[in-house]
Amino acid sequence: MRVKLVSLFPAEFISLLQAEGISTWRARQILRWFYSRSVFDPQEMSDIPKTLRAELMERFDFTLLEVIDRVGSRDKSVKFVLRTPDVSIIEMVVIPDGKKNTLCISSQVGCPHRCAFCATGSLPFRRNLQTGEINGQILLAASYLQPHKLTNLVFMGMGEPLDNLDNVLRTLQIIQSDDALSFSPRRTTISTCGIVPAIRTLADSGIKTKLAVSLNSAIDAVRDRLMPINRRYPLRELKDAIDYFRRKTSYRVTIEYIMIPGINMDDQNIRALRRFAGDLSVKINLIPFNPVAHQTWRTPSASEVAAFQTRLLDLKCAVILRKSRGTDIAGACGQLAGQLQQT
Ligand code: SF4
């Protein structure tokens, strides 16, 4: 079977080509086509001899993931529907914003956590994505954005990245390598529903990345209902893990709070959020709920959002209202469901 190059560390990539009799200099040239120029078809590697191009095609697998649909939003974000070799469907979203180009990436096929506000959570969980399937999304996005650069990466697509920590960390190590994308750790964020032991493992791993925690209520009974993971790792333990991550890595954790009228925006929830975040060194991102097919909840009005935010502004931490992007293509936070566009 041909080895899939997108799964390899740059050093492994080069060694593999060397083992097939290709010189180090030539192997590095091929690696540069792959990572710096986003060219994944050896036939297009114009400074490689034609005979070698044909051999490369025969001996190595240069493919990423199959793009089966691409849907553009009015706000310029683009959702890609992708097929893996075992015919699983996943989605990723590219979000341009001025000079910043963010990729929202998936880490699993489906998700086992069943958060009540999330379309992915209503799907059956199938499996973790492999390193090559995660890196493949990144390289597809980098290629789509050319001549502009992919600047930010957020693991906020389908799945819980901390359940697939080995493949996520291996991918981060690949893209952070100077021989690949030299991607800055400050520009990657892993978002978790709150897998407490894995937050500590990530902090101890030595691999740098920012962390976001999807909180959505600082009252255990409410969070139990919104996010069943809270029954396993309640708020007290989650808060300790957030504090641990901050102390071990020096990165401030982002608390994500999806605002849902009638569920987590009342006085009691505001007071609880203030108590939870008040003595932590965190940043709070407020996100208006985005509609999903399996819920009847509504999006909060602009005045409800402003009133909620105002009650938090005197906290020490930054409280930022996040714009929802890609709602018209079901590509916004919580909406990814691995579906083809209905035409
Ligand atoms: S919010 Fe994240 S952890 Fe929760 S169901 Fe959705 S994808 Fe899974």
Side-chain angles (χ1 to χ4, degrees):
M1 212 171 69
R2 293 181 309 157
V3 179
K4 228 173 158 51
L5 296 174
V6 69
S7 310
L8 303 180
F9 285 113
E12 294 172 333
F13 188 120
I14 289 167
S15 304
L16 185 76
L17 267 59
Q18 284 172 324
E20 295 289 324
I22 297 168
S23 71
T24 309
W25 180 81
R26 188 68 83 191
R28 286 197 164 278
Q29 201 180 12
I30 296 163
L31 184 73
R32 270 199 303 279
W33 276 107
F34 202 77
Y35 278 102
S36 308
R37 299 185 179 184
S38 298
V39 171
F40 312 109
D41 178 353
Q43 294 299 0
E44 291 174 20
M45 299 179 179
S46 53
D47 54 5
I48 305 288
K50 279 196 177 149
T51 47
L52 179 56
R53 288 189 227 166
E55 282 174 34
L56 290 173
M57 298 259 290
E58 223 169 82
R59 287 192 269 168
F60 307 105
D61 182 350
F62 281 79
T63 59
L64 304 179
L65 289 157
E66 188 186 352
V67 178
I68 53 173
D69 201 6
R70 200 169 90 181
V71 197
S73 159
R74 280 189 299 270
D75 66 20
K76 302 245 182 327
S77 44
V78 182
K79 180 169 80 172
F80 290 75
V81 184
L82 307 169
R83 185 158 41 207
T84 65
D86 69 347
V87 203
S88 298
I89 303 294
I90 56 168
E91 294 179 342
M92 67 175 201
V93 185
V94 176
I95 309 158
D97 188 9
K99 286 188 180 157
K100 192 164 131 184
N101 292 305
T102 302
L103 172 64
C104 178
I105 192 171
S106 292
S107 55
Q108 295 183 313
V109 183
C111 180
H113 291 295
R114 313 198 71 73
C115 300
F117 49 82
C118 174
T120 308
S122 67
L123 302 174
F125 170 62
R126 286 190 58 186
R127 66 174 175 85
N128 284 336
L129 292 180
Q130 298 300 312
T131 304
E133 293 166 330
I134 301 172
N135 196 23
Q137 294 173 71
I138 298 167
L139 294 184
L140 272 175
S143 162
Y144 166 77
L145 285 164
Q146 289 229 331
H148 304 291
K149 272 200 171 325
L150 176 65
T151 59
N152 292 66
L153 181 63
V154 292
F155 282 85
M156 295 183 187
M158 300 169 77
E160 165 54 55
L162 293 191
D163 279 350
N164 188 11
L165 195 56
D166 287 349
N167 286 308
V168 167
L169 291 185
R170 189 174 153 91
T171 306
L172 289 184
Q173 284 178 292
I174 292 174
I175 63 164
Q176 287 172 8
S177 158
D178 287 341
D179 288 329
L181 297 178
S182 285
F183 212 91
S184 163
R186 294 199 158 270
R187 294 178 178 273
T188 59
T189 303
I190 291 179
S191 175
T192 179
C193 63
I195 315 288
V196 163
I199 293 174
R200 291 175 183 272
T201 307
L202 177 64
D204 292 338
S205 72
I207 298 165
K208 294 208 163 83
T209 176
K210 290 185 166 181
L211 178 71
V213 172
S214 183
L215 186 74
N216 310 312
S217 177
I219 299 172
D220 275 312
V222 179
R223 195 165 190 268
D224 283 353
R225 189 177 148 206
L226 290 174
M227 307 182 73
I229 191 69
N230 196 64
R231 294 180 202 139
R232 200 164 0 139
Y233 303 117
L235 287 159
R236 184 66 255 167
E237 289 179 34
L238 181 59
K239 185 167 176 171
D240 286 348
I242 291 171
D243 192 38
Y244 183 79
F245 187 89
R246 163 70 176 168
R247 283 186 284 109
K248 280 293 277 202
T249 67
S250 81
Y251 285 141
R252 248 189 329 162
V253 174
T254 298
I255 299 285
E256 294 163 339
Y257 200 100
I258 298 177
M259 295 171 290
I260 314 169
I263 303 291
N264 65 359
M265 295 183 73
D266 56 19
D267 273 2
Q268 218 193 340
N269 271 282
I270 293 171
R271 280 199 302 273
L273 176 57
R274 290 177 61 86
R275 273 196 306 276
F276 187 89
D279 57 353
L280 279 174
S281 177
V282 290
K283 182 173 105 181
I284 301 177
N285 271 357
L286 300 177
I287 308 159
F289 169 69
N290 294 308
V292 286
H294 67 284
Q295 280 293 2
T296 52
W297 297 333
R298 68 176 173 85
T299 302
S301 66
S303 60
E304 285 170 320
V305 168
F308 190 86
Q309 187 177 18
T310 305
R311 299 274 307 272
L312 302 171
L313 287 179
D314 63 326
L315 290 175
K316 272 189 296 182
C317 45
V319 180
I320 294 158
L321 178 61
R322 231 176 65 194
K323 269 187 292 178
S324 278
R325 300 284 304 266
T327 41
D328 57 329
I329 55 167
C333 181
Q335 291 187 314
L336 297 188
Q339 283 167 346
L340 294 173
Q341 181 81 341
Q342 300 297 311
T343 49

